[in-house]
Amino acid sequence: MSDTNNAFAGLKDLPGVISPETAPKREPKRDAQGRSYATGRRKNAIARVWIKPGKGEILVNGKKAPVYFARPVLRMLITQPFLVADRYNQFDVFCTVNGGGLSGQAGAVRHGISRALTLYEPELRGILKVAGFLTRDSRVVERKKYGKAKARRSFQFSKR
């Protein structure tokens, strides 16, 4: 095992390799109103999310989050990035979301909030990445094929 460590020790001296000490620090990206913007996606849902410091109010398509996402599981899903980053009730969220169903929309809002948080506070990127909130869930519904009842299901077979 020590041979492996010694073999990798010489890699840091190669040209073009950036060490954590020399890597440029990420700068926060905020607009004139002090907001950060990000887009979140899941299934067919797309969420445009703006966050700014506030009391923790979340507006989805002009409605409060408990009204838009009536199920507690969906409300929990969209607040997860704040809980993991220890920023609960510190940011106001305004988002517009369309496409897909409520579950996909909640996932898209969570993805957008996570990305916007990393733009507002770049040091939170590591925490949110380890939690898996910055990864876009690429699973989508498979298309229906001709000659099939659904995407993969065949029609019922009868010998008579």
Side-chain angles (χ1 to χ4, degrees), residues 3-77:
D3 296 336
T4 308
N5 291 340
N6 293 337
F8 291 127
L11 291 177
K12 64 181 177 184
D13 300 330
L14 291 174
V17 176
I18 300 173
S19 67
E21 297 83 27
T22 60
K25 298 293 179 195
R26 294 181 187 263
E27 293 294 321
K29 291 185 181 178
R30 300 177 190 148
D31 63 6
Q33 288 87 23
R35 303 174 302 183
S36 285
Y37 168 79
T39 305
R41 294 181 184 89
R42 181 162 193 273
K43 294 187 177 179
N44 281 339
I46 299 174
R48 302 184 310 155
V49 178
W50 291 266
I51 66 165
K52 65 177 182 177
K55 300 176 192 149
E57 188 173 303
I58 300 176
L59 287 176
V60 182
N61 289 349
K63 299 178 182 176
K64 292 186 182 285
V67 175
Y68 194 84
F69 294 116
R71 294 192 306 219
V73 173
L74 300 179
R75 288 197 303 269
M76 178 201 66
L77 200 71

Side-chain angles (χ1 to χ4, degrees), residues 92-113:
D92 285 345
V93 177
F94 175 77
C95 64
T96 59
V97 61
N98 57 13
L102 283 179
S103 176
Q105 288 184 353
V109 170
R110 180 179 83 165
H111 186 227
I113 289 172

